[in-house]
Amino acid sequence: MKADLADYDVQPCIVLGGRLERITLSPRGRHARFVDDADYVIEIVPMETSSMQRLLLDRNAIYNAPLTYKPERLTARPVNGCLCFSYCFKAEQQYVLDVWASGQPEKKRQFRLYAVMPDLYALRPFKGDLHLHSNRSDGRQEPGIVAANFRRAGFDFIAITDHRQYQPSLEAIERFAGVPTGLAMFPGEEIHIGGYMHAVNVGGRFSVNELYDSDKQKYQAQIEQMARTTFLPEEIDPLEYALRKWVSDRTREGGGLSVIVHPHWIHPYLYCYNMQDTMTDFLFENNVYDAFEVCSRYERMNLQVAFYHDQRAKGRKIPIVGASDTHDSEGDNRDAAYTLAFASHCTFPAIYQAIMSLYSVAVQPVADHAWFICGPYRMVKYASFLLEQYFPRHDDLCIEQGIQMKNHVLGDDGALGVLQQVSGAAERYREQCFSTSAGGPL
């Protein structure tokens, strides 16, 4: 966390572009208080001001050139150690606020905020993982512990997607029924039928694996009939296509999100990719699946990201997610890929709508406070700001909830009381970060 972010609250730090906003810089401790009887200068710098324009500002006397950029400066006097000012941030972008006591520019402090247009302003950022495993298949921890560990790591939503099993996701949901966790849990499963195909069903009302197993002869006949009667290009295997389409169709029938997962995962025994590029391309061309798991693990991410960009270059609008595919929630969920969704609420219908409307990005942490972000450029810019300026505090507020969720699973009678005490902290912080001039979300 940057020093000024640790020492100050910028509220709101996400504002509606084109509207006059009241901004408050509040100290987090006496050491950071602004001096009440001093005047402060606030210089507002749009991030999309060219660095060359700022350099020319300093060299104008030398070149005697007309200025195309002039910084906007305000003055304000603190009250009770807090500095307040009003300003209209016109364009959607990040803004830097350089603040110093009058006559002391060498002691500059820097703050950041982001202005968004009404469509994004009406939404909130949520961090989630829609592909992970418990010990009910080949993961290490039981479903309730998996959920607790992900909340401790700052996640707002998850779906446990065990291999061929839907029930473990319901087990996690039922384990915390009536418990204030702050974590939305969706039903899910990883589907494997007709061979070693992989797909994820998130949010569906029924299990596609169980449906197929309930009458294999009937459903296999449907798949084979589709393979025989569907006209396909020569390079597309009819049976594989029919299997994949049948799975996605059933997922959609149940109201679920149908996700292509890790097509460039290398099979450990067959030594080839999980899917041929020709098949993946054909499925996207014909909108057979809803979303693409772009980021999942390092060894396959580069190819999947490049494939995604090739799809975009063909004019296809591909909804995307990032996912950890974790099998050990104690060890690797903080460094694994995940999804940021910009949604009206943290419910499955809202997250589904965000992903399908291209209001999501896939995130892969690469180092301490550094990320690779994949998605539409506008969303990536906004997500970059949020990962630096919003999520560090948000994630801190989730830690105690995750710890007490685990204690609750382990039978600690006092855990529920603590969860009730800390309930809503992350949600209140989220709303404090958005301007309230218009009463919150539009």
Side-chain angles (χ1 to χ4, degrees):
M1 190 184 296
K2 295 183 178 181
D4 285 340
L5 184 60
D7 289 340
Y8 296 90
D9 284 324
V10 180
Q11 292 183 346
C13 63
I14 301 157
V15 300
L16 181 60
R19 184 176 70 184
L20 185 67
E21 300 285 358
R22 183 72 170 169
I23 308 299
T24 300
L25 308 178
S26 303
R28 295 175 60 83
R30 290 183 174 275
H31 66 284
R33 288 171 62 92
F34 294 100
V35 179
D36 284 355
D37 60 355
D39 289 323
Y40 283 80
V41 178
I42 304 156
E43 183 172 281
I44 300 169
V45 183
M47 282 287 286
E48 294 186 28
T49 297
S50 125
S51 57
M52 181 61 70
Q53 289 176 324
R54 295 208 78 192
L55 288 171
L56 287 174
L57 179 65
D58 298 328
R59 301 178 184 181
N60 186 53
I62 299 174
Y63 294 103
N64 196 28
L67 291 177
T68 58
Y69 164 73
K70 294 182 180 179
E72 294 202 56
R73 291 180 178 175
L74 310 175
T75 58
R77 179 163 287 197
V79 176
N80 296 325
C82 299
L83 194 62
C84 300
F85 67 95
S86 296
Y87 186 76
C88 178
F89 300 89
K90 296 178 182 178
E92 180 172 283
Q93 60 178 296
Q94 185 174 168
Y95 291 82
V96 176
L97 310 176
D98 286 332
V99 179
W100 64 89
S102 184
Q104 299 179 321
E106 71 281 0
K107 295 183 178 180
K108 182 186 300 182
R109 283 171 267 191
Q110 190 174 94
F111 309 91
R112 295 171 186 267
L113 57 76
Y114 207 99
V116 293
M117 292 296 103
D119 61 324
L120 269 179
Y121 179 77
L123 307 176
R124 298 292 181 262
F126 299 105
K127 176 180 176 180
D129 192 338
L130 300 177
H131 184 182
L132 50 106
H133 299 278
S134 78
N135 71 341
R136 302 302 186 251
S137 61
D138 57 348
R140 285 193 60 191
Q141 293 82 29
E142 63 180 275
I145 298 296
V146 172
N149 288 339
F150 269 83
R151 185 56 174 171
R152 189 182 66 197
F155 283 75
D156 299 302
F157 65 91
I158 63 166
I160 293 175
T161 54
D162 274 323
H163 301 287
R164 296 186 56 81
Q165 295 187 72
Y166 180 78
Q167 188 59 34
S169 65
L170 303 184
E171 181 182 338
I173 294 169
E174 292 164 3
R175 189 68 184 82
F176 293 104
V179 178
T181 65
L183 178 69
M185 290 168 268
F186 309 142
E189 62 183 338
E190 189 162 4
I191 305 168
H192 308 293
I193 65 169
Y196 212 64
M197 69 153 289
H198 295 240
V200 162
N201 164 24
V202 175
R205 293 185 298 273
F206 59 81
S207 167
V208 177
N209 284 306
E210 291 175 9
L211 176 67
Y212 178 80
D213 290 342
S214 69
D215 195 337
K216 288 184 180 180
Q217 186 174 359
K218 170 185 173 181
Y219 294 119
Q220 189 62 32
Q222 290 181 1
I223 292 166
E224 292 174 2
Q225 174 71 8
M226 187 190 306
R228 287 192 299 270
T229 58
T230 304
F231 177 78
L232 297 167
E234 184 178 348
E235 65 272 16
I236 300 300
D237 180 87
L239 184 56
E240 180 184 353
Y241 171 78
L243 281 165
R244 295 187 180 281
K245 188 173 190 310
W246 187 89
V247 163
S248 185
D249 287 350
R250 303 293 82 74
T251 299
R252 288 169 167 174
E253 281 180 13
L257 181 75
S258 176
V259 185
I260 288 182
V261 297
H262 52 61
H264 292 99
W265 168 64
I266 300 175
H267 193 287
Y269 311 118
L270 302 177
Y271 307 108
C272 58
Y273 293 129
N274 185 230
M275 294 178 66
Q276 288 182 305
D277 287 346
T278 51
M279 176 62 73
T280 310
D281 181 80
F282 187 74
L283 294 172
F284 282 133
E285 180 184 6
N286 291 277
N287 299 310
V288 173
Y289 280 77
D290 294 324
F292 181 29
E293 185 184 89
V294 175
C295 298
S296 50
R297 290 190 179 178
Y298 285 119
E299 65 269 20
R300 56 212 185 207
M301 187 182 77
N302 288 339
L303 293 178
Q304 288 166 192
V305 169
F307 191 88
Y308 164 76
H309 286 300
D310 276 357
Q311 294 294 306
R312 294 281 288 177
K314 292 177 181 179
R316 297 171 187 166
K317 295 181 178 180
I318 309 295
I320 61 171
V321 299
S324 67
D325 192 9
T326 185
H327 292 66
D328 181 4
S329 64
E330 294 281 1
D332 60 6
N333 56 351
R334 279 190 176 271
D335 298 324
Y338 54 85
T339 302
L340 285 188
F342 306 110
S344 58
H345 302 87
C346 197
T347 60
F348 177 70
I351 297 297
Y352 175 93
Q353 179 64 31
I355 293 169
M356 294 300 293
S357 301
L358 308 184
Y359 279 76
S360 68
V361 296
V363 181
Q364 172 65 64
V366 295
D368 189 28
H369 302 302
W371 307 267
F372 173 85
I373 311 171
C374 184
Y377 179 61
R378 181 189 180 208
M379 302 300 159
V380 170
K381 284 201 301 180
Y382 185 35
S384 297
F385 168 83
L386 293 168
L387 289 169
E388 290 185 357
Q389 301 292 317
Y390 166 78
F391 275 104
R393 185 82 50 78
H394 164 276
D395 292 356
D396 284 348
L397 292 170
C398 297
I399 292 173
E400 185 62 27
Q401 283 180 302
I403 292 171
Q404 296 305 325
M405 285 173 66
K406 183 173 182 178
N407 289 341
H408 179 72
V409 173
L410 297 176
D412 184 343
D413 293 336
L416 179 59
V418 178
L419 282 167
Q420 290 169 338
Q421 289 175 6
V422 301
S423 175
E427 292 76 11
R428 287 190 295 273
Y429 171 69
R430 181 182 299 123
E431 292 311 310
Q432 289 167 2
C433 287
F434 282 77
S435 57
T436 57
S437 301
L442 298 178

